[in-house]
Amino acid sequence: PLSTLLLLITENDEYDYPLMNEEEGKFTEIPVQGPWRVLWIGYDGKVHIKEISSLVSWTNWEEARYYSGEVEYQTVINVPKQGKWRKCTLNLGKLYESAEIYINDQFVGAIWTEPYTLDISGKINPGKNILKIKVRNLMANRIIFLDRNKVKWRKFFFVNIRYRPFDASRWRLLPSGLAGPVNIILKE
């Protein structure tokens, strides 16, 4: 439950699935605590920049409460130089809904399903690294805003299962963004 299995199949129909077995080897967990610089382009076309010290759903920020789209999170992480770690995993904690991960401005992968982890071995350096996470949420919060404010947005006729006009004005906002906690897990 709440896990992802990556199955690797070769040209010879051989297969393998890499596992991070907690029983083998020593693990070091490094919390990525920020501060975080977040930015997004609002519906007004302006770039919004916010400095945050803790990760929460962006529906808690008044200026992004109903925002649907992409928000970029950026922080500096320091990875210990000592030790011989052979595997490095990024764990995003809670994520709503998908993310692209960049380390030192290099794309390293995308995450869209639990457990929201990504193998970043060979992509992160001992010492200072810049972590950038581009998070995208669902369109639901924007639709809630539009329906609550009676803005015409549909270019089609849409009904619900009872053949009544679609209306999202009574929906609850969906959590959005990166809620963490974010950790780097080093395996020796």
Side-chain angles (χ1 to χ4, degrees), residues 34-116:
W36 295 86
R37 178 179 179 261
V38 295
L39 64 98
W40 68 97
I41 299 173
Y43 295 117
D44 56 5
K46 295 179 184 173
V47 175
H48 297 263
I49 299 174
K50 184 177 184 75
E51 300 288 331
I52 59 173
S53 57
S54 60
L55 296 169
V56 295
S57 169
W58 72 58
T59 56
N60 292 327
W61 310 335
E62 190 59 38
E63 64 271 40
R65 184 173 172 86
Y66 294 100
Y67 182 72
S68 292
E70 179 181 281
V71 172
E72 180 179 298
Y73 296 74
Q74 186 173 314
T75 193
V76 174
I77 52 176
N78 287 298
V79 177
K81 293 180 182 179
Q82 72 274 14
K84 293 187 177 190
W85 42 272
R86 57 188 171 97
K87 183 162 178 125
C88 185
T89 302
L90 176 66
N91 182 343
L92 296 183
K94 292 275 185 194
L95 171 67
Y96 305 101
E97 289 303 322
S98 66
E100 290 180 8
I101 312 300
Y102 296 80
I103 297 175
N104 302 320
D105 286 323
Q106 298 295 313
F107 175 75
V108 295
I111 301 174
W112 68 93
T113 184
E114 290 188 84
Y116 304 121

Side-chain angles (χ1 to χ4, degrees), residues 17-32:
Y17 49 95
L19 296 175
M20 185 178 241
N21 188 344
E22 294 187 22
E23 302 298 319
E24 299 174 18
K26 181 181 171 192
F27 289 87
T28 303
E29 190 170 85
I30 303 168
V32 180

